[in-house]
Amino acid sequence: MSDKYKHGEKILVAVDCIIFGYDHGTLKLLLFKRLLEPLKGGWSLIGSFILPNESVEEAGKRVLHEITGLDEVYMEELKSYTAVDRDPGARCISIGQFALIGLENEETLEIKDGVQWHSVSDLPELVLDHNQMVVDALARLRNRAQYYPIGLELLPKKFTIPQLQTLYEEIFQKKFDSRNFRKKLLSLNILIQLKEKDKSSSKKGAFLYEFDYTKYRKLKNKGFKFSLI
Amino acid sequence: MSDKYKHGEKILVAVDCIIFGYDHGTLKLLLFKRLLEPLKGGWSLIGSFILPNESVEEAGKRVLHEITGLDEVYMEELKSYTAVDRDPGARCISIGQFALIGLENEETLEIKDGVQWHSVSDLPELVLDHNQMVVDALARLRNRAQYYPIGLELLPKKFTIPQLQTLYEEIFQKKFDSRNFRKKLLSLNILIQLKEKDKSSSKKGAFLYEFDYTKYRKLKNKGFKFSLI
DNA sequence: TTAATAAACGTAATATATACATTTATTTTT
DNA sequence: AAAAATAAATGTATATATTACGTTTATTAA
């Protein structure tokens, strides 16, 4: 190592994943029960130290794969958590990784032992500063759901407008007017209506839609700023 | 250290500050010329390793104080930069810190030796991944300037509407209609018009305004989302 | 055939955004 | 003292977006 770096103090760097899922109307968070001291038995986000040969992003993806078996998952950096005394075990910073999983898409989802989905509206106390991470991640989720079509990551590839509205009502904890919700959404021209209907929740059935990623990208590139709600 | 932590590999953690200033119509960035190998003589953002007894945020504030003598500076975390090979000297991650300084406010500003303001429109090549940090920070600046009254951090406490418009035109690299800019801005009701005028750029003079932080906070707390442009 | 259910649809009123030209306050020059 | 010069300040009409609110439709089950 170069001289220049001698006075740097090396410390432990972890990632912690704040993983949201959405299952039949309920927003959920993936947690696991710590098996080791300190704080054994406490509910925790799922994390890992980063390895010498990986970036933080790669560490996040690795953790997510180890836990769920999934590879193509929406993930973005949340923020760093670096208070000196945040971890009683050692000086250790953590980079929060915000992730979304569409539970109804993922046939292959095989959750590892000791890992459990928890309804966001009824979370246990978490270890360390993980409660704060969840608070921050929920704020991020709301921001993203408003300004990006990211809510769709939580739904199956084919979804109905009432399904999307229910998801938004869960995320924002408030009701939306169904006529205005639909009108605004469709006016963005980023959904493709399919011929099929989903009849699981009504006799009439609701048309299925897919997200038009190409159109969305074009709009974004033109600098179009949109708000879904 | 607890057993649990044994398999974590400790690494160097740095902060790099992307410090914007605005001086008489020009958006600037604070850079310094590296005095040490590797990459001696290369232009660099201003950074430091984080010390054992400080958080990343504290490290950012320390660096900013060491370089500029300032304490109360707007600073927020940008993102982490963690590619395995980002630094040829050693495995080292960096947390970018986005900072804004109002140059015309800061009478006390005493820039350290070797540190220089550079016009954002004419930046040199920077070392490591610092060019990417600047790109990311400019995107953040545009986002913040649109959705938060953060552009004001770059202006004196008392400023005119034409001054603010010129700043926005510099940030977004486009012209705004002065009638609509003024109308929208004033409709937000977060500016206090003073009796004084600034006559430095016209014979008529332009009224000075101050930001009404209290009103802004109230609006924010009510969930009001505003866009300044 | 009827009843039940959630999905789909439309419109009027209000608010916001855009496009665009003239007047005003002041200083400097004549 | 009057005229010229300068940037600041202002207004309005049009288009677009948001909000509030009830009725009809497609389908299944009784």
Side-chain angles (χ1 to χ4, degrees), chain B residues 6-223:
Chain B
K6 284 271 170 60
H7 43 92
E9 187 93 4
K10 292 180 171 190
I11 62 182
L12 288 164
V13 178
V15 290
D16 283 299
C17 299
I18 304 94
I19 307 166
F20 290 106
Y22 178 67
D23 194 20
H24 299 96
T26 308
L27 191 62
K28 298 188 168 178
L29 188 64
L30 207 51
L31 298 177
F32 91 116
K33 213 167 213 168
R34 270 171 84 117
L35 302 167
L36 295 161
E37 297 297 348
L39 304 169
K40 180 174 166 176
W43 285 104
S44 169
L45 293 170
I46 295 154
S48 164
F49 290 112
I50 79 167
L51 304 177
N53 63 341
E54 67 185 4
S55 66
V56 162
E57 188 188 350
E58 286 159 353
K61 299 231 147 135
R62 171 174 56 76
V63 168
L64 233 132
H65 179 83
E66 286 168 6
I67 296 297
T68 64
L70 301 176
D71 282 311
E72 304 281 314
V73 162
Y74 181 86
M75 181 173 263
E76 63 171 277
E77 180 171 327
L78 181 58
K79 67 184 285 291
S80 70
Y81 294 84
T82 66
V84 172
D85 58 356
R86 61 177 289 280
D87 189 322
R91 177 73 207 271
C92 167
I93 72 169
S94 176
I95 316 285
Q97 297 288 122
F98 168 85
L100 303 177
I101 296 179
L103 295 184
E104 294 169 54
N105 281 329
E106 311 294 357
E107 307 301 331
T108 61
L109 198 146
E110 270 294 318
I111 300 284
K112 218 173 112 177
D113 255 19
V115 174
Q116 266 183 32
W117 288 105
H118 287 251
S119 165
V120 166
S121 61
D122 184 29
L123 290 178
E125 274 297 298
L126 306 181
V127 300
L128 308 180
D129 47 9
H130 291 193
N131 288 298
Q132 185 60 46
M133 292 186 189
V134 173
V135 167
D136 295 341
L138 277 167
R140 178 71 60 96
L141 176 59
R142 290 190 187 108
N143 180 280
R144 290 299 187 251
Q146 179 158 13
Y147 298 112
Y148 302 83
I150 215 174
L152 301 174
E153 298 286 341
L154 291 165
L155 288 179
K157 279 187 194 68
K158 296 175 180 185
F159 56 88
T160 69
I161 291 179
Q163 267 172 28
L164 186 62
Q165 181 172 343
T166 306
L167 169 60
Y168 270 67
E169 291 176 342
E170 176 79 356
I171 292 174
F172 289 96
Q173 290 290 303
K174 69 173 197 182
K175 293 290 177 189
F176 296 95
D177 179 275
S178 66
R179 290 158 290 191
N180 294 337
F181 186 86
R182 176 185 298 268
K183 203 189 319 174
K184 173 139 193 196
L185 188 64
L186 293 176
S187 77
L188 299 171
N189 263 300
I190 49 168
L191 297 186
I192 301 163
Q193 183 175 341
L194 306 178
K195 304 262 178 269
E196 314 162 60
K197 281 183 162 186
D198 171 283
K199 293 193 176 162
S200 63
S201 70
S202 81
K203 288 160 185 169
K204 183 178 179 180
F207 279 106
L208 287 162
Y209 288 81
E210 278 183 348
F211 179 54
D212 189 338
Y213 191 72
T214 312
K215 268 195 188 163
Y216 170 67
R217 272 263 285 274
K218 274 185 196 153
L219 282 171
K220 269 286 169 192
N221 290 341
K222 276 187 201 153

Side-chain angles (χ1 to χ4, degrees), chain A residues 5 11 77 80 87 225, chain B residues 5 11 77 80 87 146 225:
Chain A
Y5 297 86
I11 61 182
E77 180 171 328
S80 70
D87 189 322
K225 304 247 162 76
Chain B
Y5 297 86
I11 62 182
E77 180 171 327
S80 70
D87 189 322
Q146 179 158 13
K225 305 245 161 78

Side-chain angles (χ1 to χ4, degrees), chain A residues 139-203:
Chain A
R140 179 71 60 97
L141 176 58
R142 288 188 189 109
N143 179 280
R144 291 298 187 252
Q146 179 159 12
Y147 298 112
Y148 302 83
I150 214 173
L152 301 173
E153 298 286 342
L154 290 164
L155 289 179
K157 279 188 195 66
K158 296 174 181 184
F159 56 88
T160 68
I161 290 179
Q163 267 172 26
L164 186 62
Q165 181 172 342
T166 306
L167 168 60
Y168 270 67
E169 290 175 342
E170 176 80 357
I171 292 174
F172 290 95
Q173 290 290 302
K174 70 173 197 181
K175 294 289 179 189
F176 296 95
D177 179 276
S178 65
R179 290 156 290 188
N180 294 338
F181 186 86
R182 175 185 298 269
K183 202 190 320 176
K184 172 140 195 196
L185 188 63
L186 293 177
S187 76
L188 299 172
N189 264 299
I190 50 168
L191 297 186
I192 301 163
Q193 183 175 341
L194 306 178
K195 304 262 179 268
E196 315 162 61
K197 282 183 161 187
D198 172 283
K199 293 194 176 162
S200 62
S201 70
S202 82
K203 287 159 185 170

Side-chain angles (χ1 to χ4, degrees), chain A residues 2-212:
Chain A
S2 150
D3 269 11
K4 166 81 177 57
Y5 297 86
K6 283 272 170 58
H7 43 92
E9 186 92 4
K10 293 180 171 190
I11 61 182
L12 288 164
V13 179
V15 291
D16 283 299
C17 299
I18 304 95
I19 307 167
F20 291 104
Y22 178 67
D23 194 21
H24 300 97
T26 308
L27 191 62
K28 296 186 169 179
L29 187 64
L30 207 52
L31 298 177
F32 91 116
K33 214 167 214 170
R34 272 171 82 116
L35 303 166
L36 295 161
E37 296 298 347
L39 303 168
K40 181 174 165 177
W43 286 105
S44 170
L45 293 171
I46 295 153
S48 165
F49 291 111
I50 78 168
L51 305 177
N53 63 341
E54 67 187 3
S55 66
V56 162
E57 188 188 350
E58 285 160 354
K61 299 230 146 136
R62 171 174 56 78
V63 168
L64 233 134
H65 180 83
E66 286 168 8
I67 297 297
T68 64
L70 300 176
D71 283 310
E72 304 281 315
V73 162
Y74 181 86
M75 181 174 265
E76 63 172 278
E77 180 171 328
L78 182 57
K79 66 184 284 292
S80 70
Y81 294 84
T82 66
V84 173
D85 59 355
R86 62 177 288 280
D87 189 322
R91 176 75 207 270
C92 167
I93 71 169
S94 176
I95 316 284
Q97 298 286 124
F98 169 85
L100 303 177
I101 296 178
L103 295 183
E104 295 168 54
N105 282 330
E106 311 294 358
E107 308 300 331
T108 61
L109 197 146
E110 271 292 319
I111 300 283
K112 218 172 110 177
D113 256 19
V115 174
Q116 266 183 32
W117 288 105
H118 287 251
S119 165
V120 165
S121 61
D122 185 29
L123 291 178
E125 274 296 298
L126 305 181
V127 300
L128 309 180
D129 48 8
H130 290 193
N131 288 298
Q132 186 59 47
M133 292 186 188
V134 173
V135 168
D136 295 341
L138 276 167
R140 179 71 60 97
L141 176 58
R142 288 188 189 109
N143 179 280
R144 291 298 187 252
Q146 179 159 12
Y147 298 112
Y148 302 83
I150 214 173
L152 301 173
E153 298 286 342
L154 290 164
L155 289 179
K157 279 188 195 66
K158 296 174 181 184
F159 56 88
T160 68
I161 290 179
Q163 267 172 26
L164 186 62
Q165 181 172 342
T166 306
L167 168 60
Y168 270 67
E169 290 175 342
E170 176 80 357
I171 292 174
F172 290 95
Q173 290 290 302
K174 70 173 197 181
K175 294 289 179 189
F176 296 95
D177 179 276
S178 65
R179 290 156 290 188
N180 294 338
F181 186 86
R182 175 185 298 269
K183 202 190 320 176
K184 172 140 195 196
L185 188 63
L186 293 177
S187 76
L188 299 172
N189 264 299
I190 50 168
L191 297 186
I192 301 163
Q193 183 175 341
L194 306 178
K195 304 262 179 268
E196 315 162 61
K197 282 183 161 187
D198 172 283
K199 293 194 176 162
S200 62
S201 70
S202 82
K203 287 159 185 170
K204 182 179 179 181
F207 279 105
L208 288 162
Y209 289 80
E210 278 182 348
F211 179 54
D212 189 338

